[in-house]
Amino acid sequence: GLFGVPELSCPEGFQEAQDKALQESEQLVQKACSTPPGPETVMIFDQLSDALCRVADLADFVKIAHPDFAFREAAEEACRNVGTVVEKLNTDVDLCQSLRRLLADEIVMGSLDPETRRVAELFMFDFEISGIHLDEEKRKKAVNLNVRILDLCNEFLTGTHLPNKIDKHVLPEHIRYNFTAEGNYLQIAGLHADCPDDLVREAAYKIFLYPNAEQLSRLEELLASRHSLAQLVGYDTFAHRALQGTMAKDPETVRQFLEKLSDQLSKRTQKDFEMMTKMKMKLNPQNSKLMPWDHPYYSGALRAERYNIDPGLYCPFFSLGACMEGLNSLFSRLLGVSLYAEQTQRGEVWSEDVRKLAVVHETEGLLGYIYCDFFQRPDKPHQDCHFTVRGGRLRENGEYQLPVVVLMLSLPHSTRGAPTLLSPGMMENLFHEMGHAMHSMLGRTRYQHVTGTRCPTDFAEVPSILMEYFANDYRVVNQFARHYKTGQPLPKNMVSRLCESKKVCAAADMQLQVFYAALDQIYHGKHPLKNSTTEILKETQEKVYGLPYVPNTAWQLRFSHLVGYGAKYYSYLMSRAVASMVWKQCFAQDPFDRAMGERYRREMLAHGGGKEPILMVQG
């Protein structure tokens, strides 16, 4: 069965796994309600969370990544059913009462260790943001809103990826071959941001971002429902609800952070736009105004021209094997952790090219498993991501439940003549995702509810972004970058060129992220919104980003992060600020400093979400 879960040898097994989890959860709810207040209450709540998450998290991954449609469909159904139960439990008055009794008992609370106390408070917080304090009718309304929001999120997410079709005769003949033909129509499935032909990028931008009425009404309903839910449970806006418990704490802090950042960037961003405009003028004198479809292409072209960093020159030094060796040696020097390939059983993986790694500490032994789903295949989503399939926790019998995660990338397959070769960007992404995986492996908490990356969103990206700093340091890269044919190391000047090139247009690239983060805050701020979502996009784009809005486009309908990062898109930027502090103070002098690695593990990784994030950063 998938991930070694015996029920999951066929799609129908999801029903069985789900029924088992729901049965177990009913028993645990009864147990929680009849147990006198004490540390055992928190244990039972965590078991309950674990029973549901073991199915929901696994299904969350399978529903987007399994090649077999029947498996994907069964997983989607399980996700929905477990999600609905979770929403109901979050408004279960008796269940909440048992936790409230514990929190109200000062003597018992005083005797709990800080992690147990925090986990109890986090569970209470889940009840509160779900509206436990409301009367029965309003609680029902909250559950229904939550379920509706889950559905809208799924529909909106699907809509963000759907291609747009256009009659092929609308486009000039010489650019049609860039798009997939379907009879008399052309399918535009993305922005073609790397295409050197300005016209292709312009056409893709205007067609792919052409507003779709259904998707627009989904987004409007999603934002309105989130707002209603937030107000129903006692918050001013959805952003206020989403930001409670994060490093930022409230929308005001996020607004100040983004404004300060924007002020610091503005002069440099202007310079970047001027450089891109000059380059466009050189290549395209009759049409030199810089447009939104130009930014990604010309910033890349400037980098390449100035530093000659053609990925083709670098790929031969970054074979997948060499990169994995590099990660293994870095983790072993820094943290005493090694990665070992394991044989998988029949039916354990969903594609024969998935590899299973055991993560082993030199004195503590086996820490957990990472399934590496690294290669492209039809129907596989193109995003790189990390999934928790099973959280770590201390079981009732004293054994530790090992964490299981999946890392998903879209690398090219090896060919007859060459292994899988990574571009510098892919190599950096591999390091980034491995940062999440190590957080999952080393965040060995007593409770599954706060294991590994189950921590505030604006802190969760810190360990992964920190890994990008390692991936861009010559001392680290020099350890593993070898030409796959000759074994020759990557010359130092090539690494420094690559690192220098990352600074080209970095301000404009970051300004774009500030714009996305600001847009996300406005959408989840005061309602009713002052204007349509498209009007707000136009206004924010011109104010915060600086490149003109293009009429009849609606980029927000492709903004898939509004689903998983609603009101929290700023997290990437805030995590980067923290990661850069950690790098400068702890690792810039010596990226292999074992004492520092141990301190980083002890202060930051080890707690998962079991400690206030800002205290971890201070430590």
Side-chain angles (χ1 to χ4, degrees), residues 409-448:
L409 305 172
S410 295
L411 303 177
H413 280 275
S414 51
T415 58
R416 261 208 308 245
T420 290
L421 300 176
L422 279 64
S423 69
M426 291 170 184
M427 185 269 285
E428 193 177 278
N429 285 356
L430 172 65
F431 270 64
H432 177 101
E433 298 304 335
M434 265 299 187
H436 285 308
M438 277 300 134
H439 196 186
S440 292
M441 296 298 128
L442 295 168
R444 274 176 93 74
T445 50
R446 188 181 334 171
Y447 301 105
Q448 172 277 149

Side-chain angles (χ1 to χ4, degrees), residues 272-289:
D272 288 351
F273 284 154
E274 281 160 21
M275 288 194 315
M276 291 186 224
T277 305
K278 270 188 192 150
M279 186 165 201
K280 185 172 181 180
M281 249 165 117
K282 220 165 54 182
L283 298 171
N284 190 350
Q286 64 274 37
N287 184 7
S288 62
K289 186 174 189 239

Side-chain angles (χ1 to χ4, degrees), residues 19-241:
D19 294 346
K20 224 162 114 175
L22 297 184
Q23 236 174 334
E24 193 184 337
S25 70
E26 271 170 40
Q27 290 161 359
L28 286 164
V29 170
Q30 285 164 358
K31 193 173 166 188
C33 293
S34 57
T35 303
E40 201 192 345
T41 311
V42 183
M43 281 280 285
I44 297 167
F45 266 83
D46 194 59
Q47 282 171 268
L48 178 57
S49 168
D50 183 60
L52 296 166
C53 286
R54 274 206 315 259
V55 176
D57 289 341
L58 195 151
D60 237 350
F61 168 71
V62 173
K63 76 175 186 190
I64 72 159
H66 203 292
D68 179 347
F69 178 71
F71 262 107
R72 292 204 299 270
E73 206 172 28
E76 176 109 39
E77 182 63 17
C79 264
R80 226 199 122 164
N81 296 339
V82 176
T84 306
V85 171
V86 170
E87 296 306 343
K88 287 208 177 104
L89 288 176
N90 278 339
T91 53
D92 183 321
V93 179
D94 299 335
L95 185 60
C96 179
Q97 221 27 63
S98 68
L99 188 62
R100 212 172 251 144
R101 282 198 300 274
L102 168 69
L103 291 166
D105 190 326
E106 285 176 21
I107 298 170
V108 178
M109 281 303 281
S111 71
L112 299 180
D113 62 280
E115 187 184 12
T116 304
R117 219 175 355 213
R118 178 167 164 89
V119 171
E121 285 162 2
L122 286 170
F123 277 121
M124 193 64 214
F125 172 61
D126 283 342
F127 281 121
E128 283 166 0
I129 64 171
S130 301
I132 195 72
H133 47 286
L134 305 171
D135 60 46
E136 188 173 357
E137 198 178 323
K138 284 187 173 155
R139 281 202 311 275
K140 275 208 173 117
K141 194 176 166 190
V143 170
N144 293 337
L145 268 171
N146 262 314
V147 173
R148 180 70 190 129
I149 287 168
L150 274 177
D151 284 343
L152 283 166
C153 282
N154 282 329
E155 290 168 22
F156 181 78
L157 209 48
T158 307
T160 58
H161 303 304
L162 286 180
N164 273 340
K165 270 193 199 162
I166 189 164
D167 184 335
K168 68 177 181 192
H169 300 100
V170 175
L171 290 184
E173 204 166 328
H174 71 280
I175 67 166
R176 290 179 200 163
Y177 74 92
N178 289 280
F179 307 108
T180 317
E182 215 178 75
N184 272 330
Y185 288 94
L186 292 174
Q187 274 209 352
I188 317 303
L191 291 173
H192 292 256
D194 300 330
C195 180
D197 187 334
D198 285 352
L199 194 58
V200 172
R201 290 196 315 280
E202 178 178 348
Y205 190 92
K206 288 176 173 173
I207 299 166
F208 188 62
L209 299 183
Y210 189 78
N212 169 309
E214 280 175 23
Q215 182 74 339
L216 189 59
S217 71
R218 274 180 213 130
L219 175 61
E220 285 166 355
E221 193 188 337
L222 174 61
L223 297 178
S225 305
R226 280 176 167 173
H227 184 72
S228 306
L229 178 66
Q231 291 222 307
L232 184 63
V233 300
Y235 291 91
D236 285 354
T237 68
F238 181 77
H240 283 90
R241 176 182 184 257

Side-chain angles (χ1 to χ4, degrees), residues 557-574:
L557 303 182
R558 301 291 184 181
F559 192 4
S560 55
H561 281 82
L562 287 174
V563 169
Y565 285 78
K568 295 185 190 176
Y569 191 81
Y570 77 92
S571 297
Y572 287 107
L573 291 164
M574 198 169 272

